[in-house]
Amino acid sequence: MVPAAQNSDSHQADGPLSSNPLIRKLSNFVPLSVSDRQILDDLAQPEEQFAIDVDIAAEGAVPRSVFLLKEGIAMRYRDLPDGGRQIMTFLIPGDLCDMHVFLLKEMDHSIGTITPVRVAPISRESIMGLFGTHPRISAALWWSSLQEEAMLRERIVSLGRRDARGRVAYLLCELLWRHAAVGLTFGDVFKLPLTQTELGDTLGLTPVHVNRVLKGFREQGLISISQKMLSLLNVDRLQSIAGFNSSYLHLGGASAEIVRYFNALEGRSAKP
């Protein structure tokens, strides 16, 4: 069983999981104070909506802000000269569409929607203002960026060394763990409105090959798919097929030493 999002620490606010997916995600790394949560809720208030199959940010465009995905699924991708497409990663609620994108003169990839989405645009000034004044949020955002880099490294390993069954199993397991980390699973079941073409464009496989692998997994009792809900019926077996180790997602939280460091920082700042 994949663990649900963490929500227990003396420093965290009590009560149910936050409705803000960014808070749910960052809380996997470090416990957030009531003040931290209010700051993140304020950042998520402005909202924009995008329809299915449109670009939130296009390759070559000047980035105007960081986007927090609040609802739906999006993707980072590159169009290729031969008409093909490579999807680098899927974005789910709680993900930031490139936290440091405002440092670029232009986008070097596109961010497109797979489903209708709701996003919160966050300005450069708001992001920069967090650093130095809110150490827990700053560290959690760094952790989020490091997790994204780790996911891309794992994608390279998958494309270079896993066979088709391993690639598909790896991606399904990763998506399960990521959805669980933000409270979007029901046991080992989560919403997966992805087409076989989109899976193929991510894993370097044809839609026919993806279909063959998924059919085999269903016949072996490893997965079931109904009304865009994916059930992983044997997570251990799928992780074995993929050689999957979730440690690269760094969901274990900050070390006790780091938490003590934050507590000490906040204690000093609270003194008159």
Side-chain angles (χ1 to χ4, degrees):
M1 178 72 69
V2 176
Q6 300 175 14
N7 194 39
S8 59
D9 192 286
S10 59
H11 195 82
Q12 280 186 290
D14 295 328
L17 286 176
S18 170
S19 60
N20 183 340
L22 182 58
I23 291 176
R24 299 200 301 268
K25 178 176 180 176
L26 299 186
S27 294
N28 283 281
F29 175 69
V30 66
L32 299 171
S33 69
V34 173
S35 174
D36 291 332
R37 288 167 171 253
Q38 185 59 58
I39 290 291
L40 294 174
D41 276 337
D42 291 343
L43 288 178
Q45 287 308 308
E47 187 172 292
E48 298 179 7
Q49 298 186 25
F50 291 85
I52 188 173
D53 291 332
V54 299
D55 282 339
I56 299 173
E59 181 177 355
V62 178
R64 61 185 176 92
S65 63
V66 178
F67 290 98
L68 163 63
L69 189 65
K70 298 178 67 175
E71 184 178 280
I73 296 183
M75 61 182 171
R76 288 193 182 94
Y77 74 95
R78 287 279 305 276
D79 283 325
L80 305 177
D82 63 0
R85 176 182 65 177
Q86 177 65 52
I87 297 176
M88 277 81 78
T89 191
F90 296 111
L91 300 167
I92 67 172
D95 287 340
L96 292 166
C97 303
D98 298 318
M99 187 176 71
H100 303 103
V101 72
F102 53 75
L103 298 175
L104 303 177
K105 291 183 178 179
E106 63 180 39
M107 293 286 294
D108 58 15
H109 64 282
S110 298
I111 298 173
T113 64
I114 291 176
T115 69
V117 303
R118 295 190 298 117
V119 302
I122 304 174
S123 69
R124 172 179 56 192
E125 290 75 21
S126 295
I127 289 290
M128 296 300 292
L130 294 174
F131 295 101
T133 58
H134 293 83
R136 289 174 185 267
I137 296 178
S138 300
L141 290 174
W142 289 335
W143 163 82
S144 179
S145 292
L146 291 172
Q147 184 192 62
E148 291 177 11
E149 292 174 7
M151 286 165 52
L152 290 175
R153 288 192 293 270
E154 189 68 16
R155 187 65 49 82
I156 292 171
V157 171
S158 191
L159 293 176
R161 291 300 177 188
R162 291 186 175 110
D163 62 14
R165 293 177 75 247
R167 293 183 198 182
V168 175
Y170 136 77
L171 183 58
L172 298 183
C173 290
E174 179 184 272
L175 288 171
L176 174 65
W177 278 83
R178 290 176 61 199
H179 279 77
V182 289
L184 294 177
T185 55
F186 309 90
D188 294 330
V189 181
F190 63 102
K191 190 173 183 179
L192 190 70
L194 301 177
T195 67
Q196 292 174 4
T197 296
E198 288 159 349
L199 291 173
D201 286 349
T202 306
L203 300 173
L205 302 171
T206 65
V208 172
H209 207 161
V210 171
N211 179 67
R212 187 179 304 126
V213 172
L214 292 176
K215 180 180 179 181
F217 285 169
R218 287 194 296 267
E219 291 174 346
Q220 295 166 41
L222 300 179
I223 67 170
S224 67
I225 304 173
S226 177
Q227 297 181 335
K228 299 184 179 180
M229 297 296 293
L230 173 68
S231 301
L232 301 193
L233 305 176
N234 192 332
V235 175
D236 290 342
R237 176 59 180 149
L238 288 167
Q239 292 186 154
S240 177
I241 290 171
F244 182 90
N245 184 332
S246 65
S247 62
Y248 73 94
L249 294 172
H250 304 293
L251 293 171
S255 67
E257 179 184 2
I258 293 297
V259 173
R260 286 195 298 269
Y261 175 71
F262 291 142
N263 291 339
L265 276 181
E266 291 172 345
R268 289 196 296 268
S269 65
K271 292 180 180 179

